[in-house]
Amino acid sequence: MNCLYCGAALPVAAGAEDLRRPALRPLEDWERGLIVALLPGGRASGQTRSGAGDGNYFGPNGGASASSGDDEPAASNEKTLGEAAALVRLAPGQLREFVAAGVPLPLARTAEAVEAALLERKLTALGLKVALVADEELGVADRPPRRARQFEFGEVELASRTAGGEERRADWSELSLIIAGRVHERRIEVEERRVRRGESEVAESREFQEDEAVVDLYFAGRAENWRVGAEGFDYTCLGAGKGLMAAENIGRLTAELRRRAPAARFDDTYRRVRHLLKFAWPPDERKEAGGLRRLRPGKVRPEFVTVVTNETQFTRYGRLLQHFDPRRGAL
């Protein structure tokens, strides 16, 4: 669709529209793009998809996502599955995992609206149910999760406070979606020593990993979401149910939230589908200068740090589920 050298859009010859193929280059951190989201309910899967969490997901028009009886046998769809997989740069087996997941998932991400429209048209023609979602609609960069440190349970409302004392309130009836997952962070510290002019080698490296259970709360008609991390949360709201371990308390807190807001949907599919999210939403990786480490007087080594985390990926996944939730309301 574009010139390999300068990136300019190429003209389309008459009758050659169906020959076009998207490039799907990786986007830079500063770029905004469009997600081609795969929704449950298409015919190309060749199998019945089970619901995730506590029920079926819905499409943008509120229709049930459960597969109809019109699904064709899997064997007759292998060619179609292969064509669809080639369009989004996946192996047929990987695409089969996407369509069997039963939840909305990002198939591809592109900065080109024409490219996204082409993918939507071709994948729909192959029997997949897809929709386009702009990064701005998910609002991850503009509306990061609000980290809650304390809850106060009322009869009709939930009060949340941050570490800085900022307070938010919401009726239990507004709580529409509860998403459980885990946030991982991998930190690699490397020390370098100079061996000759202009050249250096790794002298020492260290790796640290952190893993935290998190729960995100989404409310009908609200653009923001609240996040509870297992570490650093005040579980006093649990009363006599508060335990000694954070891993135990986060589970009890989730159960209490679900009990007080029975109409809220619960989803814990992130861990199951996380490996499928990396194609459109790879984990964030940033490099930092770690400063100088003093070994002895007059002898120092420069340090460099690489941090890899899935926090933004988890936030995007939650926002995508909220986007296709029928109770989200006007944001």
Side-chain angles (χ1 to χ4, degrees), residues 10-26:
L10 297 175
V12 184
E17 178 66 26
D18 289 339
L19 301 178
R20 306 184 85 191
R21 290 291 184 271
L24 294 180
R25 63 174 178 82

Side-chain angles (χ1 to χ4, degrees), residues 85 89-99 107 276 278-279:
R89 306 294 179 87
L90 294 174
Q94 292 170 330
L95 182 56
R96 192 176 291 108
E97 289 189 73
F98 272 87
V99 297
L107 267 183
L276 301 176
K278 65 182 179 181
F279 300 104

Side-chain angles (χ1 to χ4, degrees), residues 275-294:
H275 67 290
L276 301 176
L277 303 176
K278 65 182 179 181
F279 300 104
W281 294 327
D284 289 341
E285 180 176 327
R286 66 178 186 273
K287 298 185 182 296
E288 305 170 351
L292 299 174
R293 184 183 181 191
R294 184 178 296 277

Side-chain angles (χ1 to χ4, degrees), residues 52-54 57 178-181 266-272 317:
D54 278 352
Y57 277 89
I178 303 172
I179 301 178
F266 175 72
D267 185 282
D268 60 354
T269 58
Y270 175 73
R271 294 181 66 182
R272 176 167 62 86
Y317 180 64

Side-chain angles (χ1 to χ4, degrees), residues 83-158:
E83 292 178 7
L87 281 172
V88 291
R89 306 294 179 87
L90 294 174
Q94 292 170 330
L95 182 56
R96 192 176 291 108
E97 289 189 73
F98 272 87
V99 297
V103 292
L105 290 173
L107 267 183
R109 182 169 177 243
T110 175
E112 303 292 336
V114 175
E115 197 170 59
L118 177 68
L119 275 173
E120 181 183 33
R121 180 174 61 83
K122 286 182 173 290
L123 292 173
T124 299
L126 291 171
L128 292 174
K129 186 177 180 182
V130 297
L132 302 185
V133 183
D135 285 351
E136 289 79 5
E137 294 182 78
L138 302 183
V140 174
D142 302 326
R143 305 187 305 272
R146 180 181 179 275
R147 187 88 175 202
R149 298 296 184 184
Q150 187 181 46
F151 281 161
E152 181 181 328
F153 295 153
E155 290 296 324
V156 297
E157 68 176 8
L158 170 66

Side-chain angles (χ1 to χ4, degrees), residues 301-319:
R301 281 182 186 164
E303 285 187 341
F304 302 93
V305 180
T306 301
V307 179
V308 182
T309 177
N310 70 323
E311 185 169 8
T312 301
Q313 182 191 76
F314 176 68
T315 303
R316 283 173 168 161
Y317 180 64
R319 298 286 173 87

